[in-house]
């Protein structure tokens, strides 16, 4: 007697990966074993039959807010941060293709000699062909985080959820690394997350997801297999639901 394979919770998702997640134990840049591990996770997610879009941050190279603190005007600093996300996206595309998973980078900042410019039609066409798409350049505009970019792309591409990959296993009342008394939430509404000023994503991202009825799943990406496990409803995570 054969047992049924577990069914994923969602059919099409945006996975939000921070730039910091890609630097592994290093202090900056890309940690090759970590990039390869995450590529393997994304391939495993695609093999579940899930259509996977990935939004990458750039904080392992440059963050707009940090640049603004150093005297670079915010709009220019954010533009530099967008370029950092393209570097991460190209690295992830290469890691995916190396293990046999078709992938495409689409950038909100047009760089046709490096990757395909982002358009909704192109992104959907790649997803239907079971390619993992890596969405670089944030929203293409300054003053918006890549978290907001993830919520925007999820709404635009009719995704079932945003999978927010972090270094903690969900959303806590405070930073659990700084406050041992911090309590973990199993489930929240978008309004609760906004009202409590929980910092795992910015308010604009929460509001955009809320207004479009998109769940957000917050989970730790530090262990191998974390992304497919979260898609199957296994392991620890916080679910922010409409």
């Amino acid at each position: 007697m054969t047992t049924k394979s577990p069914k994923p919770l969602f059919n099409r998702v945006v996975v939000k990966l921070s730039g910091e997640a890609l630097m592994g134990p290093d202090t900056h840049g890309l940690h090759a074993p970590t990039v390869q591990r995450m590529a393997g996770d994304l391939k495993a997610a695609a093999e579940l039959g899930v259509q996977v879009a990935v939004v990458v941050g750039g904080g392992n190279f440059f963050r707009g807010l940090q640049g603004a603190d150093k005297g670079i005007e915010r709009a220019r600093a954010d533009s530099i941060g967008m370029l950092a996300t393209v570097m991460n996206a190209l690295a992830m595309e290469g890691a995916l293709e190396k293990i046999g998973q078709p992938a495409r980078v689409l950038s909100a900042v047009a760089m046709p000699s490096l990757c395909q410019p982002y358009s909704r039609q192109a992104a959907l066409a790649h997803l239907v062909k079971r390619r993992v798409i890596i969405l670089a350049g944030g929203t293409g505009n300054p003053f918006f985080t890549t978290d907001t970019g993830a919520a925007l792309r999820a709404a635009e591409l009719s995704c079932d959820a945003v999978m927010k990959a972090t270094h903690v296993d969900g959303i806590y009342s405070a930073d659990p690394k700084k406050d041992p008394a911090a309590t973990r939430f199993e489930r929240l509404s978008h309004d609760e997350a906004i009202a409590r000023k929980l910092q795992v994503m910015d308010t604009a991202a929460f509001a955009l997801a809320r207004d479009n009825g998109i769940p957000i799943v917050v989970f730790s990406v530090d262990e191998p297999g974390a992304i497919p496990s979260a898609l199957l409803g296994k392991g620890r995570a916080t679910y922010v639901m409409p």
Side-chain angles (χ1 to χ4, degrees):
M1 182 176 176
T2 58
T3 56
K4 279 189 176 181
S5 298
K7 183 176 171 59
L9 299 175
F10 310 108
N11 295 316
R12 178 185 291 167
V13 298
V14 165
V15 177
K16 171 56 176 47
L17 286 178
S18 69
E20 288 88 343
L22 299 178
M23 68 187 185
D26 296 340
T27 58
H28 62 279
L30 291 162
H31 183 246
T34 298
V35 174
Q36 290 159 10
R37 173 172 64 80
M38 292 189 180
D41 264 25
L42 292 169
K43 181 182 180 184
E47 287 173 345
L48 292 173
V50 178
Q51 295 180 14
V52 181
V54 183
V55 169
V56 289
N60 53 325
F61 288 115
F62 192 91
R63 292 174 64 88
L65 285 172
Q66 291 172 343
D69 290 341
K70 294 175 182 176
I72 304 172
E73 60 182 311
R74 176 64 189 275
R76 192 181 303 274
D78 281 354
S79 296
I80 298 170
M82 290 178 213
L83 298 178
T85 70
V86 177
M87 292 192 286
N88 286 334
L90 291 171
M92 183 57 70
E93 179 188 45
L96 284 163
E97 291 183 340
K98 192 172 181 179
I99 58 174
Q101 172 58 51
R104 294 290 187 278
V105 174
L106 294 91
S107 174
V109 180
M111 298 185 191
S113 63
L114 297 177
C115 56
Q116 187 173 355
Y118 173 80
S119 73
R120 179 174 180 270
Q121 292 83 356
L124 289 172
H126 289 310
L127 287 172
V128 168
K129 292 175 182 175
R130 299 294 174 180
R131 295 168 180 153
V132 171
I133 58 172
I134 305 117
L135 305 174
T139 66
N141 299 286
F143 301 100
F144 290 95
T145 68
T146 49
D147 281 346
T148 300
L152 172 65
R153 298 300 182 226
E156 197 173 15
L157 299 174
S158 302
C159 290
D160 302 316
V162 173
M163 311 291 292
K164 166 78 173 178
T166 71
H167 290 301
V168 291
D169 57 356
I171 300 177
Y172 284 76
S173 57
D175 186 342
K177 295 177 182 176
K178 298 177 181 177
D179 183 357
T183 56
R184 181 176 162 279
F185 300 103
E186 292 284 343
R187 197 178 181 95
L188 289 164
S189 69
H190 294 84
D191 285 332
E192 286 174 322
I194 293 169
R196 290 175 181 268
K197 297 183 179 179
L198 301 172
Q199 297 300 310
V200 71
M201 295 182 84
D202 61 85
T203 302
F206 276 127
L208 191 53
R210 176 197 62 192
D211 294 347
N212 290 279
I214 301 169
I216 301 169
V217 183
V218 181
F219 65 102
S220 172
V221 76
D222 288 342
E223 295 297 324
I227 296 172
S229 290
L231 285 167
L232 293 170
K234 299 177 180 178
R236 288 162 65 86
T238 297
Y239 294 83
V240 184
M241 304 298 288

